[in-house]
Amino acid sequence: MKKVFILGAGLSGLSLAYHLQKRKIVCQIFEREKEIGGLASSKQISGFYLDHAGHLLHFKHKRIFSFVKGLLGNSLIKHKRNASIYSFRRFVPYPFQVSLFALPQKIKEDCLKGFIEAKEKNFVINNFQDWIMKEFGKGIARYFMVPYNQKLWQHDLHDIALDWVNWSIPKPDLEDVINGALGIKNRQFGYNPVFFYPREGGIGLFPESFPVSGKRLFNQSAEKIDLKKHCVLLNNGEVIRYRWLLSTMPLHRLVLSLKDPPGWLLSACKKLEYVSVLNINLGIDRPDVLPFHWVYFPEEDKPFYRIGCPSNFSRTVAPKGTTSLFMEISLKPDQNHDIAALTRECIESLKKCKILRPEDKIVSMYPILLEYAYVIYNSARSATVKKIHAYLNRHHIYSFGRYGSWIYSSMEDAVLEGKSNAERVIQISG
Ligand SMILES: Cc1cc2nc3c(=O)[nH]c(=O)nc-3n(C[C@H](O)[C@H](O)[C@H](O)COP(=O)(O)OP(=O)(O)OC[C@H]3O[C@@H](n4cnc5c(N)ncnc54)[C@H](O)[C@@H]3O)c2cc1C
């Protein structure tokens, strides 16, 4: 069997390589950056370990949990989530929909009334906006669900489909919401009530510990792909000929790198919408600046949709006596952004929310721009991705991973996708 070429050494590419190697299939990984890990990598700057936005390990599958524990063993810390939402100048425990007790009386009443009314109504659900109104009612929609999601997705919620909401958004019943209004919490909500994080070194420890041997070629990106000749032109001018090409680069970018793509494919590519995230990391010269793991910000006057505190995930990611914070801002990719101005605005907002004190000193500041951060589940996504994948598969290109499959998925999903694509390679190669 010929060598399998893999584009990208993020978790999906690493998992594919690992599962192929287990079956003695030779593969070679080409990675655009100078290190492995993709979105799950970490950087060390001025004594702080910085992740590409908050990256916490949570598991749906016992066997993936066992696999990760096998890799990281005692270096994993287990945390009970301590997250909140900053709303009406206070911290409301996450999830908002079952913590109405913490809100001002009038807002609590609106949310409760709206929830009850929605349960009594018949809804036709065509999109995410309709789903929010049905599942949560007018009040929770107005004060949290709609503004938060508009901030995150930067997209009309009427044009967002539903194939991602069930796993990611907690859906309480009436009893839960009433309990939440009374301050009673008797069960856990969401996909990450507990999560894991490396004891030292940031989330980057996870991809680094992946048992993949052999050649990984760094600073080598696929620039042009010739489907007729089965060739990839790399940034260093080298041309590789592939029998099967397994790509984890963003599907959108992959299509744009094809030589002479048909017109319909370029039109389809325009339907692959996404948002970028600017993740601004701060080091502050005071310990325990924030008591939470992370906080959501639905209100329009704060530029970030979420901030987090990595030094609460592991004390070792920030020097003694300091705190590390990250602030995530969702941006439309086709706009120019003034990162310095955004950073100033974010710091001002932290001060207004009394998270930063006037005397606090910022000892480290490092913005990271994630160009492809969240793919938008617009109404065209599902059919468009299927059509593009079918075309690529006919030319022996298999596109997978968070951006190759064009999905909203986790690190655990990336490991699983690597495994299932290894099985696919074994099957197609006979
Ligand atoms: C803001 C944010 C927060 C997140 N938080 C969490 C979390 O808390 N928990 C969780 O489980 N998941 C989280 N995720 C999701 C998680 O990061 C991903 O699911 C996972 O890391 C995806 O791995 P991947 O290998 O599919 O993609 P990537 O990590 O993007 O890897 C793709 C690789 O391909 C390389 N590449 C790109 N183009 C080329 C090219 N032309 N040639 C060669 N190489 C190329 C890239 O450099 C990269 O290394 C989060 C994601 C985001 C955006």
Side-chain angles (χ1 to χ4, degrees), residues 142-180:
R142 174 174 171 200
Y143 300 116
F144 178 66
M145 283 292 165
V146 170
Y148 174 75
N149 280 293
Q150 265 165 355
K151 211 172 183 184
L152 173 65
W153 298 107
Q154 301 277 313
H155 196 82
D156 180 359
L157 304 187
H158 292 94
D159 181 46
I160 292 191
L162 296 175
D163 29 0
W164 59 281
V165 294
N166 278 329
W167 74 266
S168 63
I169 302 180
K171 240 174 51 177
D173 58 25
L174 180 57
E175 189 181 339
D176 296 322
V177 174
I178 292 174
N179 277 340

Side-chain angles (χ1 to χ4, degrees), residues 8 11-12 31-32 38-39 54-56 221-222 402 409-411:
L11 286 170
S12 310
E31 168 54 54
R32 189 174 68 144
L39 262 186
H55 265 82
L56 314 162
S221 68
R402 179 170 166 115
S409 62
S410 67
M411 294 186 278

